[in-house]
Amino acid sequence: MAVVEVRPARPAEWIAVGGLRWDSNREFGGAPEDTRESFAARFAAWAAGRRSHECFVAVEGDRVLGMAWLAIVDRVPSARLFERASGDLQCAYVVPDRRDDGIGGRLIDAVLARAAELGLERVTVHSSPRAVPVYERHGFTSEDCRLLHAFVEHTDLFTAASRPVGA
C-alpha cells in the first residue's frame, strides 16, 4: 500500500474533492439534486474562489481518499484581543473502504494544526454520532456546555424583514 499524504488540497484536486462531497451527501443526506460529475465541476469552481475555507485532503497516489475543511470566521473585536477569528471543521469525509485506517484523525489533526498557525480561538465541529469518538480523541470536547446552536426555520419572515420599509 502506498503512503497516504495529508496536506492542503491542490487546485487540480478540486474535482475529486467535489466528488467526495457528492458521495458524502448521498451517503448521509439522501438523493443529490445533480449528477456527481456536474456537481463536482460546480464545486471545483466554488472551491477555487473561496478564501474563507481551506481544504485538507488525504491522498494515496492519485486517489483522494478523504477531505476536511476549515471554515474561518472573523469574530467581533474584544477589549482583550481586537483581531479575532474562530474555525469550524466542516465536511470531513473518508471513503468507506479506507475508514478505520486513521485517515480521519490525520485530517482532523491537519485542520487543528492550521487553526493553531492562524491563531484561531477555537474550532467547532458538527459531528455525526459515529465520528464523535474520533473528534474526542483529537481534542474536541462538549463538556463546556456554552457552545449552543439553533436550527433556523426558513420562512417568509426573512424575505419580509429584508424588504425596504413601505415595500
Side-chain angles (χ1 to χ4, degrees):
M1 205 177 286
V3 173
V4 175
E5 181 183 13
V6 174
R7 57 168 170 70
R10 297 174 181 154
E13 296 163 333
W14 289 135
I15 293 281
V17 171
L20 287 181
R21 182 65 179 138
W22 189 92
D23 294 344
S24 72
N25 285 153
R26 184 162 183 197
E27 183 176 346
F28 301 114
E33 295 180 5
D34 211 345
T35 67
R36 188 178 195 274
E37 294 74 22
S38 177
F39 177 81
R42 288 176 52 214
F43 189 92
W46 174 87
R50 199 64 40 195
R51 299 287 176 252
S52 60
H53 292 66
E54 296 185 19
C55 180
F56 294 84
V57 291
V59 180
E60 183 177 55
D62 291 335
R63 183 180 180 206
V64 179
L65 303 172
M67 65 176 172
W69 289 79
L70 175 61
I72 303 161
V73 180
D74 286 335
R75 300 197 52 172
V76 174
S78 76
R80 182 184 57 79
L81 184 63
F82 199 83
E83 295 292 329
R84 303 171 60 215
S86 291
D88 189 50
L89 195 157
Q90 300 178 349
C91 304
Y93 183 77
V94 176
V95 296
D97 65 304
R98 294 307 298 274
R99 292 184 186 151
D100 300 320
D101 287 350
I103 294 170
R106 291 179 60 200
L107 286 164
I108 293 167
D109 290 343
V111 166
L112 293 176
R114 180 63 177 146
E117 287 175 9
L118 294 171
L120 303 185
E121 291 183 10
R122 73 174 60 90
V123 175
T124 58
V125 66
H126 183 200
S127 177
S128 69
R130 179 186 187 277
V132 168
V134 176
Y135 289 110
E136 289 176 338
R137 284 194 303 271
H138 292 269
F140 284 83
T141 180
S142 61
E143 296 171 9
D144 187 307
C145 297
R146 293 187 306 156
L147 183 61
L148 309 171
H149 71 269
F151 290 99
V152 177
E153 185 176 334
H154 296 269
T155 67
D156 289 339
L157 293 176
F158 291 112
T159 305
S162 64
R163 282 190 208 120
V165 176

